Amino acid sequence: MHFYFLVRLSAVWDKASADRESLPSLYALIKKTSVRSHFADETYHYHLTMAEPRDLNPSNNQEEQRFRKEFWKRHSLQRAQQEKENVERWINFAIRIIPRVERTFIAPNLRPFRDSYIAHNLDAAVTNKGDPIKLRYGDEAKLLRLTVRIVDRLHLALNGAGFAWDQAQEQAIRNAKELWTSCRFNLSDE
């Protein structure tokens, strides 16, 4: 199962290509200024043009109505600017961290380990020339935490939503406990 986990984590970090949904592929897109600007501007426009909430207790007072409209306009403008800055910050985080992780861990360690020892048929050009591959048990946990941070921020930036990582982890732990505490093995002497 550990090797399968490494293969799946490696897939998230596969080399950039038009036919792969990996962080390096996404990085190749978002490193373009025009793409980053598009997402930031789209987020700004979305929040700026949100409809004013319906007033369930409408007032006949013209001054109060004008105040509410002006308040909503200011609020929309501030919210749009804040969300645009959030998108820019989250994308810039990914732009900074993805190449670092690729350079320091994926290219020299995880990908060669996967290609040489687990799924060696993925890349015909991969040969282990006797160089030791420095993949220690536990390194994948740190990589998973970094990957989750990157994916979460990019999902927030590009889709305006996040994942419930803590709840998913709690559910996985409950499922594992249910499986292993419910399993009974009877071994015979035969």
Side-chain angles (χ1 to χ4, degrees):
M1 287 190 69
H2 187 247
F3 281 169
Y4 180 74
F5 170 73
L6 292 174
V7 169
R8 299 310 310 146
L9 191 56
S10 297
V12 173
W13 287 95
D14 260 341
K15 295 176 185 172
S17 176
D19 65 341
R20 293 187 183 145
E21 295 174 359
S22 65
L23 287 174
S25 296
L26 189 57
Y27 172 78
L29 291 172
I30 64 173
K31 72 179 184 180
K32 298 174 184 171
T33 306
S34 61
V35 172
R36 290 193 312 271
S37 296
H38 171 76
F39 283 114
D41 293 344
E42 188 177 272
T43 299
Y44 181 84
H45 180 71
Y46 171 80
H47 287 284
L48 188 63
T49 58
M50 286 186 76
E52 185 176 346
R54 184 170 179 213
D55 189 355
L56 298 177
N57 297 316
S59 171
N60 292 332
N61 184 333
Q62 296 293 333
E63 185 67 24
E64 185 177 336
Q65 289 176 356
R66 189 175 55 75
F67 174 79
R68 287 182 182 199
K69 286 192 181 300
E70 288 176 10
F71 173 81
W72 180 252
K73 190 182 280 187
R74 281 193 316 274
H75 171 76
S76 296
L77 185 63
Q78 289 171 347
R79 174 81 188 270
Q81 186 61 38
Q82 180 62 50
E83 292 299 327
K84 179 181 179 180
E85 290 169 6
N86 287 342
V87 166
E88 291 168 343
R89 188 175 68 249
W90 293 327
I91 291 176
N92 286 334
F93 168 79
I95 287 172
R96 280 191 325 271
I97 198 83
I98 289 173
R100 272 192 237 162
V101 173
E102 174 73 29
R103 185 177 57 252
T104 60
F105 189 76
I106 304 300
N109 298 323
L110 183 62
R111 197 172 293 129
F113 183 82
R114 181 215 40 201
D115 294 346
S116 295
Y117 297 111
I118 302 173
H120 51 276
N121 61 343
L122 291 178
D123 192 349
V126 172
T127 56
N128 185 1
K129 299 178 178 126
D131 298 331
I133 297 172
K134 302 170 191 147
L135 184 65
R136 296 178 314 216
Y137 183 75
D139 285 347
E140 76 285 353
K142 182 178 180 183
L143 177 60
L144 180 61
R145 284 192 301 274
L146 280 169
T147 302
V148 164
R149 285 181 63 200
I150 293 166
V151 168
D152 200 43
R153 280 162 182 77
L154 284 174
H155 190 48
L156 280 167
L158 304 179
N159 300 316
F163 292 106
W165 296 106
D166 293 338
Q167 291 173 350
Q169 188 175 21
E170 288 171 10
Q171 183 65 43
I173 290 169
R174 277 195 306 272
N175 291 347
K177 283 181 182 177
E178 179 75 23
L179 171 68
W180 292 110
T181 58
S182 297
C183 286
R184 300 288 181 257
F185 300 97
N186 293 323
L187 301 176
S188 65
D189 293 337
E190 296 177 37

